Amino acid sequence: MYLYDPIDQRIVDERVAQFRDQTRRYLAGKLPEADFLPLRLQNGLYLQRHAPMLRVAIPYGVLSAQQLRMLAHIARRYDRGYGHFSTRQNMQFNWPKLEEVPDILADLASVQMHAIQTSGNCIRNITSDHFGGVARDEIVDSFTWCEILRQWSTFHPEFAYLPRKFKIAVNGAQADRAATFLHDIGLHARCDAAGQVGFRVIVGGGMGRTPIIGHVIREFLPWPHLLTYVEAILRVYNRFGRRDNKYKARIKILVKARGPELFRDEVEAEWAQIRDGASTLTDAEVRRVAGRFTRPEYQPLEDLRLPQDGPFGAWQKRNVFAHRQPGYAAVTLSLKKTGVPPGDVTEAQMDAIAALAERYNFGELRVTHEQNLVFADVRQDRLEALWQQLRQLGLATPNIGLLTNIIACPGGDFCSLANAKSIPVAEAIQRLFDDLDYLHDIGELDLNISGCINSCGHHHVGHIGVLGVDKQGEEWYQITIGGNQGMSPLGTPAAVGRVIGPSFAQHEVPWVVERLIEVYLRHRESDAERFVDCAHRLGIEPFKQNVYGHPDSPRKDRESVAA
Amino acid sequence: MATLIRRGKIASPSQPEAGAVLRLEPQDDPAGIAARLEGAARVEVNFPNFTDGRGFSNARLLRERYGYRGELRAVGDVQRDQILFLQRCGFDAFVLRDDQDAGESLAALADFSEAYQASVERPQPLFRRR
Ligand code: SF4
């Protein structure tokens, strides 16, 4: 992880003091709610259904064991003993008291953490591919670039009151593991013919009410221009993005209204005025930032042949990822055990995971946007020992990439914006697909659930997506298929799922998922063809047929029911 | 009575000035007044609502692109919790919203002692000074 220098620390400390004062004025009645609202949101604080919710930033998902222990402490001291990892690589606490939030921020600052810009209409936490620094297909270490962008975006004075929230993702490897086509700005590292590092710049992707796949506005941006170019995009957006309707205020709507070419021309014209200015990155700065990251001290080791059979083999095949350093592996800790809300961890688990990170992983870990954790640098000869320990903690479910590795937002159990619950739906599906052999036979499948159209559960890019909708005050669920976050270098590109037809009641959803899988298993060309690839090849019709035309279908008469 | 802060101090309301007072609304393009900046008494940038951030970009453009050196004054929904960023974007005068405490607002200009980015206030980003 990046280690703060005294200036980084001072900025975070000054933020704590500033927010303490804002909270004091609010509680004293000197700061009206309407004026406090954007201020507290820019510090990750929501006031909602049961209690406030505080979202803590985990920049690009990287955490030290010490920081995780602090999160455990906060869960114990200020909350109800657990926290929730979100799809934005953040941690959310659902029960803190408003008057204690300044103390929580002070505790966080003591371990180089904060809640800056985790909500509100500003540049949010930068997200990244979670195998940065270890993947065999790596082009650059994405974390260095994320940190450079984190510093640039932190308290950027011009962009604190944008039309709407703004999310940037950086991907440093060949395969896109950061969903760069689904962010306001996606930056995908590449090298030009001369070996110079740069980025493909993608804008205007996103989920929510209007899901859109982003547009490439520049195939290659040499790295020194990263900040000036991003600044040009933000300036065009800040000046011309719509502010009259919050549903039309994201940059994707501006890009769509202008057309990607015209938008690109505006950005390039703005950039022409500021390129080569003082914000042009220097080699010295990139080296300085890279040099402040702690690096594992690898031993010279050989790759081992790992067992393929038995429970350890099953886990090893699903949850262990190849490492570019011989003799090491990256391990995903599954937070998707059946019966546990996706992404939830207890304080005891956090402490235990911190201890394991120190023992097996150089004292670090990562949070993924699929709400799991990664130990990126585990010695292969210690995998089995680690697996044994993870099993005891309930963190070794061998389901990474499989149907039960469900992404789900907090939904109606916690979130005041929800149309429907998402956690019980996730659990019911996990229970139905409890049989591991069957699950492995189905192969790679992303199933994502959002409790409303805000799409925090990324349902649009689920191979199967489930969306909570409100029908005359009742909770219903709309099903999509064919969405894809664009993870794999081969096969289907990033895509938004298509709705199969009228919605379902909560208890019917697992049945529908089963029918969809049935079609896939019947029609797939081979084990190598994933559900999503098959859905793209066949189109939605056969899937629809097997759901709405099925003898047991609860929604037979699909013509007479409004979607 | 609304307080005027000018160059980091509480100032008395302006005397009648020589030169025109130009005004920008959020949707206005600063290019439209660029030709009249020379000789203007001041430019007022209006914030009908503090959450409308267009004035921040417009201020930078006036200073950095159109070379405006005179008084740049934020008016409208101007509050203590925004004036530091406004100052960093090039404002040197603020007419505070009526309910704002003048002393507290002045103190807000010192909420942060350092910033990462290049700005009008500090044209060199932190990484070139670090
Ligand atoms: S998708 Fe909707 S229900 Fe789920 S967390 Fe986001 S806002 Fe809440």
Side-chain angles (χ1 to χ4, degrees):
Chain A
M1 60 171 286
Y2 175 85
L3 298 176
Y4 282 7
D5 76 359
I7 300 176
D8 299 313
Q9 184 67 49
R10 178 148 44 98
I11 288 172
V12 168
D13 290 342
E14 287 173 343
R15 170 55 143 197
V16 176
Q18 184 194 40
F19 191 72
R20 193 181 288 283
D21 185 57
Q22 289 168 345
T23 306
R24 177 190 62 75
R25 283 184 279 134
Y26 172 71
L27 291 170
K30 286 165 76 181
L31 181 58
E33 167 61 22
D35 297 332
F36 184 48
L37 177 92
L39 305 181
R40 65 172 164 76
L41 286 180
Q42 301 224 355
N43 230 328
L45 183 61
Y46 290 76
L47 298 172
Q48 56 174 12
R49 190 166 290 181
H50 302 293
M53 185 271 274
L54 179 68
R55 185 181 290 151
V56 174
I58 301 174
Y60 36 93
V62 179
L63 267 180
S64 70
Q66 185 202 19
Q67 291 174 324
L68 185 59
R69 283 209 179 85
M70 180 53 80
L71 294 174
H73 160 80
I74 289 167
R76 234 179 343 256
R77 167 99 191 261
Y78 303 100
D79 206 306
R80 298 195 181 171
Y82 65 94
H84 173 82
F85 287 110
S86 80
T87 51
R88 293 289 307 160
Q89 301 177 309
N90 293 308
M91 171 160 269
Q92 300 182 172
F93 292 109
N94 275 303
W95 315 96
K97 294 193 192 66
L98 169 61
E99 51 278 20
E100 290 183 343
V101 170
D103 295 333
I104 299 176
L105 297 179
D107 284 353
L108 288 171
S110 74
V111 293
Q112 308 190 354
M113 293 185 85
H114 59 77
I116 295 164
Q117 291 167 214
T118 53
S119 183
N121 296 335
C122 52
I123 304 168
R124 303 287 191 87
N125 187 21
I126 318 286
T127 51
S128 165
D129 54 316
H130 47 268
F131 292 124
V134 307
R136 288 190 178 163
D137 63 342
E138 174 157 305
I139 299 161
V140 297
D141 181 345
S142 50
F143 297 154
T144 300
W145 300 98
C146 287
E147 178 59 26
I148 286 169
L149 284 162
R150 182 192 76 81
Q151 297 191 9
W152 165 82
S153 63
T154 297
F155 302 132
H156 196 299
E158 187 179 345
F159 305 131
Y161 299 97
L162 295 169
R164 200 77 177 84
K165 59 188 167 185
F166 203 92
K167 300 177 178 180
I168 302 176
V170 181
N171 189 73
Q174 302 274 356
D176 181 3
R177 298 186 197 94
T180 52
F181 277 90
L182 291 147
H183 283 78
D184 296 292
I185 297 179
L187 297 162
H188 195 154
R190 48 199 329 201
C191 277
D192 69 2
Q196 185 185 211
V197 168
F199 298 89
R200 167 190 276 161
V201 183
I202 303 150
V203 295
M207 297 191 248
R209 198 167 295 256
T210 319
I212 298 182
I213 299 299
H215 301 275
V216 177
I217 59 164
R218 200 167 231 281
E219 279 296 343
F220 188 79
L221 177 73
W223 66 264
H225 302 301
L226 181 66
L227 298 184
T228 52
Y229 200 83
V230 171
E231 191 145 316
I233 297 173
L234 262 298
R235 182 170 287 167
V236 170
Y237 171 56
N238 190 40
R239 294 182 66 201
F240 303 116
R242 283 182 64 172
R243 291 173 185 267
D244 58 329
N245 178 342
K246 80 177 238 195
Y247 300 117
K248 303 215 152 116
R250 295 289 290 269
I251 195 173
K252 62 190 172 187
I253 305 291
L254 178 66
V255 175
K256 198 172 160 211
R258 295 281 216 266
E261 290 76 27
L262 187 60
F263 179 81
R264 181 204 53 213
D265 292 348
E266 279 181 278
V267 168
E268 293 275 335
E270 177 59 38
W271 184 52
Q273 303 273 351
I274 58 176
R275 71 174 287 180
D276 302 323
S279 297
T280 305
L281 280 167
T282 60
D283 203 36
E285 171 62 0
V286 176
R287 269 188 281 116
R288 186 193 73 80
V289 172
R292 293 202 68 82
F293 275 84
T294 52
R295 305 277 168 194
E297 284 177 33
Y298 296 121
Q299 303 294 314
L301 297 170
E302 304 274 308
D303 274 332
L304 301 179
R305 280 176 67 101
L306 297 168
Q308 302 291 309
D309 304 322
F312 175 64
W315 176 80
Q316 188 278 118
K317 278 195 284 188
R318 277 325 320 173
N319 295 28
V320 174
F321 182 81
H323 201 291
R324 62 178 194 189
Q325 179 72 22
Y328 286 82
V331 171
T332 304
L333 284 58
S334 173
L335 298 180
K336 309 297 178 62
K337 189 178 177 216
T338 301
V340 179
D344 273 15
V345 276
T346 65
E347 41 95 7
Q349 277 178 320
M350 287 189 250
D351 278 337
I353 294 165
L356 290 179
E358 274 163 353
R359 191 141 160 223
Y360 293 96
N361 197 49
F362 302 95
E364 285 189 12
L365 69 152
R366 299 162 183 201
V367 184
T368 78
H369 74 279
E370 294 179 341
Q371 304 171 289
N372 291 311
L373 301 177
V374 165
F375 281 9
D377 300 289
V378 180
R379 278 172 65 147
Q380 289 172 4
D381 59 1
R382 301 175 77 188
L383 281 171
E384 190 154 359
L386 173 61
W387 172 68
Q388 297 284 5
Q389 309 243 16
L390 292 175
R391 277 222 296 190
Q392 287 174 18
L393 293 170
L395 300 169
T397 312
N399 64 350
I400 301 310
L402 302 181
L403 188 153
T404 57
N405 180 33
I406 295 172
I407 298 181
C409 75
D413 292 298
F414 298 99
C415 174
S416 58
L417 303 171
N419 286 324
K421 295 192 175 66
S422 40
I423 292 168
V425 180
E427 187 178 337
I429 295 169
Q430 286 172 328
R431 288 204 189 286
L432 183 64
F433 291 90
D434 212 14
D435 180 342
L436 265 181
D437 290 333
Y438 184 43
L439 207 56
H440 284 257
D441 186 40
I442 297 167
E444 262 185 51
L445 200 155
D446 295 346
L447 194 149
N448 300 352
I449 308 174
S450 301
C452 79
I453 195 64
N454 285 329
S455 318
C456 305
H458 298 183
H459 68 279
H460 289 301
V461 292
H463 301 168
I464 297 177
V466 179
L467 165 67
V469 292
D470 175 277
K471 262 196 191 173
Q472 280 115 39
E474 281 179 52
E475 300 188 3
W476 286 76
Y477 296 87
Q478 192 180 67
I479 312 292
T480 51
I481 62 169
N484 193 30
Q485 59 179 323
M487 208 139 145
S488 145
L490 307 162
T492 312
V496 170
R498 291 178 60 197
V499 180
I500 62 165
S503 316
F504 294 91
Q506 191 184 106
H507 69 275
E508 296 162 356
V509 175
W511 180 88
V512 176
V513 172
E514 223 179 356
R515 299 289 78 72
L516 296 171
I517 304 281
E518 230 166 50
V519 179
Y520 161 63
L521 292 178
R522 217 181 289 143
H523 292 285
R524 71 174 167 191
E525 285 175 332
S526 72
D527 291 4
E529 188 180 46
R530 300 175 303 163
F531 176 91
V532 65
D533 306 323
C534 181
H536 279 252
R537 180 170 57 83
L538 296 176
I540 65 172
E541 214 40 55
F543 293 91
K544 245 170 141 163
Q545 272 309 325
N546 201 44
V547 172
Y548 298 96
H550 195 279
D552 302 336
S553 180
R555 296 276 94 66
K556 272 203 191 63
D557 187 3
R558 66 185 229 228
E559 303 309 329
S560 67
V561 189
Chain B
M1 179 60 204
T3 310
L4 171 70
I5 292 181
R6 190 191 277 140
R7 287 189 211 100
K9 293 197 183 71
I10 296 171
S12 50
S14 323
Q15 305 302 312
E17 290 125 300
V21 174
L22 305 177
R23 187 177 164 102
L24 279 186
E25 296 298 328
Q27 68 279 5
D28 293 341
D29 187 347
I33 58 165
R36 290 185 284 146
L37 288 172
E38 210 166 318
R42 64 170 182 272
V43 178
E44 292 185 352
V45 175
N46 186 31
F47 288 83
N49 186 320
F50 77 93
T51 56
D52 187 332
R54 285 177 285 187
F56 292 81
S57 286
N58 287 341
R60 282 194 80 172
L61 289 173
L62 283 172
R63 293 287 195 212
E64 293 173 346
R65 188 145 313 156
Y66 303 110
Y68 179 59
R69 292 281 165 86
E71 181 177 318
L72 186 56
R73 187 184 282 194
V75 302
D77 188 9
V78 178
Q79 301 176 43
R80 174 220 142 108
D81 292 291
Q82 285 78 46
I83 61 173
L84 175 59
F85 282 11
L86 289 168
Q87 178 168 292
R88 291 180 57 205
C89 286
F91 288 96
D92 56 0
F94 313 92
V95 178
L96 298 173
R97 199 175 73 184
D98 284 348
D99 63 346
Q100 300 293 298
D101 181 294
E104 277 192 359
S105 301
L106 268 186
L109 291 173
D111 273 354
F112 289 93
S113 55
E114 191 47 277
Y116 290 111
Q117 309 76 10
S119 65
V120 175
E121 204 185 19
R122 261 190 176 155
Q124 295 295 306
L126 178 62
F127 70 79
R128 288 182 186 270
R129 298 182 279 112
R130 222 164 184 169

